[in-house]
Every structure is written in C-alpha cells, then in structure tokens.
Amino acid sequence: MTGISIAMMIVAMIIVWGGLIASILFLRRNPEVVGGPHEDPDLVLDDEQRAHQAHPTRDT
C-alpha cells in the first residue's frame, strides 16, 4: 500500500469511528424517553384506539 492509501484509510477510519463515538456520547447525554410523563395524552389515546381496530388487509 502506498502512503496516500494508508493516509486515506486512516482518515476514513477516523470519520467512521469518530461518528460512532460522537453518536454514543450524544445519546448518553440526551437519552430518548419513551412512555414518560411528558407524552402527549392525545397521541396516547390515538394509539390505544388504533390498537383496537382491525388490521387492514389487501385483496391482491
């Protein structure tokens, strides 16, 4: 491998692994809360009503 190809490989690895590390750190600081007390009651009601409806089927 030439020096340029090694340098490009290192740059690509830094971008990929750096993005992974940055996303892990972001999710640790800002976790996604599901089902918490801040959930919109109208959306919860819509979800409960939709759960009791029959599943749509296709005739094809």
Side-chain angles (χ1 to χ4, degrees), residues 29-59:
R29 288 186 196 135
N30 306 315
E32 184 176 335
V33 178
V34 177
H38 305 293
E39 203 166 312
D40 188 10
D42 293 333
L43 295 176
V44 172
L45 182 63
D46 289 342
D47 289 342
E48 290 174 355
Q49 289 174 349
R50 194 176 301 115
H52 295 297
Q53 292 177 353
H55 184 69
T57 57
R58 294 177 60 179
D59 293 338

Side-chain angles (χ1 to χ4, degrees), residues 22-31:
S23 63
I24 289 171
L25 292 176
F26 177 79
L27 287 174
R28 278 191 170 183
R29 288 186 196 135
N30 306 315

Side-chain angles (χ1 to χ4, degrees), residues 2-30:
T2 64
I4 294 174
S5 62
I6 292 173
M8 288 302 296
M9 181 182 68
I10 291 172
V11 167
M13 288 170 56
I14 288 172
I15 290 173
V16 170
W17 290 104
L20 177 65
I21 292 169
S23 63
I24 289 171
L25 292 176
F26 177 79
L27 287 174
R28 278 191 170 183
R29 288 186 196 135
N30 306 315

